């Protein structure tokens, strides 16, 4: 658990690619306009029709191929990163995407990349799988001398460190859907302890095979309607998506020296696990509640100070009520006014290991712009959630935030039981009026 004090890391730069949005301006347009960018999987290297069957439970089939996909997954200039075209051709597109968003995050922070070189900069990336690898395993003759480096999970972080000469720890962290926010917690801890001055935190997910759709469909986790109905009575499962995000964190002393943009302060973060409190893939409200309570205590902030809370909000029949109970008990019922909640998954889909940073970006942008975007597809409150008793309210329209509202929370929960939470405080100048676009 990391607490709020004078060593709280600063969020200084963000680079991102989301379905239907490239960069922070593009992401804000989607959020502020209340758009959903989920579509149908584009046939990149397999024919979706071979695996699609609307009847649930058919072996080897999925009930849906609804997904949020990156439009420029393969667009890449290898020479700009000192990589040969031949090596680039064998690289997992997740590696390419991370290189690009890291560079964009450093630019967004207003920093010279050379100033980050050396042993005081670490890389922490949340990721879960290299689907691209299966293409080579199915046809070994395709693999050249660099395909192993190009398709190993750990190399996601190592590639970034090698390209930009970052000499600190270089790690890929996999806790399923909480991976990126767990990576954020790991990085924040290293910064607070003084082990690093700068940390690059990333989250990435690229869809290359039908396997994930088939597996999660068989487990009844995917939405047959292809829509994330977070906290709604119509919630019928989650929607898969791709994403690539990088965030630059800095110790305050390093920020004083390098004078970057200061977007937000990372007040407190924390991670725990459900353990034996529930079956492996079933979330635990008591463990989620305990984590939120611990992080809130570590932050030293009052529940009344929260402008809103960006929930995990996958739109599943079990996950949404569980998260609502934990948020209500740990935070919302300690306030006078209802706590506004929502989920960016209703806009972009669920980016799985990268999802926590998607939520973080939404929170940072909402605080900067002085307006909270709508959580989409919410018409009938989930009857399994007592919103009034829990003092929760799903935000359904672009809403001006109260003057001086600078604090927000973000949840990310892994389906294996690892929970991650982050609380942030905006450092951007307060907007004179909410900005819609």
């Amino acid at each position: 658990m990391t607490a709020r004090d004078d060593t709280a890391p600063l969020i200084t730069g963000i680079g991102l690619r989301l379905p239907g949005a490239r960069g922070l301006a593009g992401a804000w347009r989607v959020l502020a306009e209340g758009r959903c960018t989920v579509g149908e999987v584009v046939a990149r290297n397999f024919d979706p029709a071979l695996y699609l069957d609307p009847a649930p439970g058919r072996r080897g089939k999925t009930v849906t191929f609804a997904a949020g996909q990156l439009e420029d997954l393969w667009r890449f200039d290898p020479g700009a990163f000192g990589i040969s075209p031949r090596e680039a051709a064998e690289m997992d597109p997740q590696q390419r995407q991370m290189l690009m968003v890291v560079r964009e995050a450093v630019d967004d922070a207003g920093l010279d990349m050379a100033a980050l070189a050396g042993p005081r900069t670490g890389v922490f990336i949340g990721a879960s799988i290299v689907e691209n690898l299966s293409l080579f395993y199915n046809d070994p003759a395709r693999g050249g001398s660099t395909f192993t480096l190009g398709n190993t999970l750990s190399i996601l972080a190592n590639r970034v460190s090698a390209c930009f000469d970052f000499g600190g720890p270089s790690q890929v962290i996999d806790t399923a859907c909480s991976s990126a926010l767990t990576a954020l917690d790991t990085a924040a801890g290293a910064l607070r302890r003084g082990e690093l001055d700068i940390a690059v935190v990333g989250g990435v997910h690229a869809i290359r095979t039908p396997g994930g759709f088939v597996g999660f469909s068989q487990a009844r986790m995917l939405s047959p309607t292809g829509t994330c109905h977070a906290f709604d009575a119509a919630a019928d499962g989650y929607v898969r998506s791709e994403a690539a995000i990088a965030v630059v964190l800095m110790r305050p002393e390093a920020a004083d020296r390098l004078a970057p943009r200061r977007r937000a302060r990372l007040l407190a973060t924390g991670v725990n696990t459900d353990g034996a409190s529930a079956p492996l893939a079933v979330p635990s409200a008591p463990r989620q509640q305990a984590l939120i309570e611990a992080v809130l205590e570590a932050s030293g902030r009052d529940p009344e100070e929260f402008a809103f809370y960006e929930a995990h909000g996958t739109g599943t029949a079990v996950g949404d009520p569980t998260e609502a109970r934990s948020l209500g008990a740990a935070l919302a019922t300690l306030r006078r006014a209802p706590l506004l909640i929502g989920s960016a998954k209703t806009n972009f889909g669920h980016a799985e290991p990268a999802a926590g940073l998607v939520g973080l970006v939404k929170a940072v942008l909402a605080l900067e712009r002085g307006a909270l975007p709508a959580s989409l597809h919410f018409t009938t409150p989930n009857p399994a959630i007592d919103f009034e008793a829990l003092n929760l309210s799903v935000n359904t329209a672009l809403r001006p935030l109260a003057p001086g509202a600078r604090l927000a929370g973000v949840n990310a929960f892994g389906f294996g039981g690892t929970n991650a939470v982050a609380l942030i405080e905006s450092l951007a100048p307060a907007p004179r009026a909410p900005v819609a676009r």
Side-chain angles (χ1 to χ4, degrees):
M1 199 71 59
T2 56
R4 173 180 176 265
D5 53 30
D6 292 341
T7 65
L10 305 178
I11 298 173
T12 63
I14 300 172
L16 63 86
R17 311 287 173 85
L18 298 176
R22 177 175 174 174
L24 290 171
W28 180 251
R29 280 194 296 272
V30 171
L31 291 166
E33 293 169 4
R35 290 191 282 120
C36 175
T37 58
V38 170
E40 291 292 320
V41 161
V42 177
R44 290 171 174 158
N45 58 279
F46 66 91
D47 182 358
L50 296 176
Y51 304 92
L52 184 64
D53 191 323
R58 296 282 179 84
R59 291 190 65 83
K61 303 293 185 179
T62 176
V63 296
T64 181
F65 270 113
Q69 290 193 279
L70 300 183
E71 297 174 357
D72 57 353
L73 185 65
W74 292 100
R75 189 174 301 167
F76 183 67
D77 180 1
F81 298 93
I83 297 170
S84 72
R86 179 168 183 168
E87 183 172 7
E90 295 187 331
M91 282 171 56
D92 173 18
Q94 294 180 127
Q95 291 188 18
R96 308 177 189 207
Q97 292 294 319
M98 282 312 307
L99 289 172
M100 291 188 289
V101 295
V102 167
R103 174 168 285 176
E104 291 165 10
V106 173
D107 288 344
D108 180 63
L111 293 168
D112 181 351
M113 188 68 78
L116 279 64
R120 299 291 293 175
T121 298
V123 178
F124 306 84
I125 293 176
S128 286
I129 192 168
V130 180
E131 292 196 1
N132 199 60
L133 183 61
S134 66
L135 306 180
F136 289 94
Y137 279 175
N138 290 335
D139 182 10
R142 292 179 56 178
S145 60
T146 60
F147 102 92
T148 303
L149 276 175
N151 293 276
T152 299
L153 190 65
S154 64
I155 305 300
L156 274 168
N158 300 156
R159 181 79 69 176
V160 171
S161 299
C163 180
F164 301 119
D165 194 23
F166 301 154
S170 187
Q171 304 173 6
V172 172
I173 294 171
D174 178 10
T175 58
C177 311
S178 57
S179 297
L181 219 59
T182 300
L184 186 80
D185 175 71
T186 303
L191 292 168
R192 286 180 178 278
R193 294 188 297 271
E195 297 166 4
L196 298 171
D197 290 333
I198 301 165
V200 175
V201 180
V204 65
H205 186 227
I207 297 170
R208 299 284 288 124
T209 73
F213 289 96
V214 173
F216 289 120
S217 180
Q218 294 293 311
R220 302 296 200 275
M221 293 182 180
L222 296 187
S223 167
T225 59
T227 304
C228 176
H229 294 278
F231 304 106
D232 191 87
D236 60 356
Y238 84 90
V239 182
R240 305 188 75 206
S241 74
E242 300 175 324
I245 302 177
V247 176
V248 178
L249 299 182
M250 302 183 72
R251 296 184 71 217
E253 294 87 344
D256 290 343
R257 183 176 73 254
L258 297 174
R261 179 201 302 266
R262 299 180 184 225
R263 289 192 173 275
R265 177 182 290 116
L266 196 57
L267 291 176
T269 61
V271 172
N272 77 356
T273 305
D274 292 342
S277 63
L280 184 60
V282 178
S284 167
R287 292 293 176 91
Q288 292 178 7
Q289 176 183 339
L291 178 60
I292 297 168
E293 288 174 340
V295 175
L296 177 62
E297 181 179 3
S299 76
R301 293 306 184 89
D302 191 299
E304 296 285 359
E305 296 182 67
F306 281 78
F308 61 89
Y309 206 105
E310 173 65 13
H312 187 55
T314 53
T316 59
V318 175
D320 287 359
T322 300
E323 182 175 20
R325 289 195 296 273
S326 64
L327 263 176
L331 180 60
T333 54
L334 305 180
R335 297 161 46 93
R336 292 185 293 271
L339 177 65
L340 296 173
I341 62 173
S343 172
K345 295 174 182 65
T346 63
N347 302 96
F348 302 109
H350 181 13
E352 298 178 9
L357 288 188
V358 179
L360 183 79
V361 166
K362 176 185 171 182
V364 169
L365 289 175
L367 292 173
E368 286 184 353
R369 306 297 179 107
L372 180 59
S375 192
L376 308 181
H377 317 306
F378 183 83
T379 55
T380 304
N382 189 324
I385 301 172
D386 190 338
F387 287 93
E388 184 175 359
L390 294 171
N391 204 29
L392 297 171
S393 178
V394 177
N395 184 57
T396 58
L398 184 65
R399 177 196 297 253
L401 296 178
R406 315 295 287 167
L407 183 63
V410 182
N411 281 347
F413 303 143
F415 82 133
T418 299
N419 308 308
V421 169
L423 305 184
I424 64 168
E425 179 183 34
S426 180
L427 296 177
R432 295 181 182 179
V435 179
R437 292 173 177 79

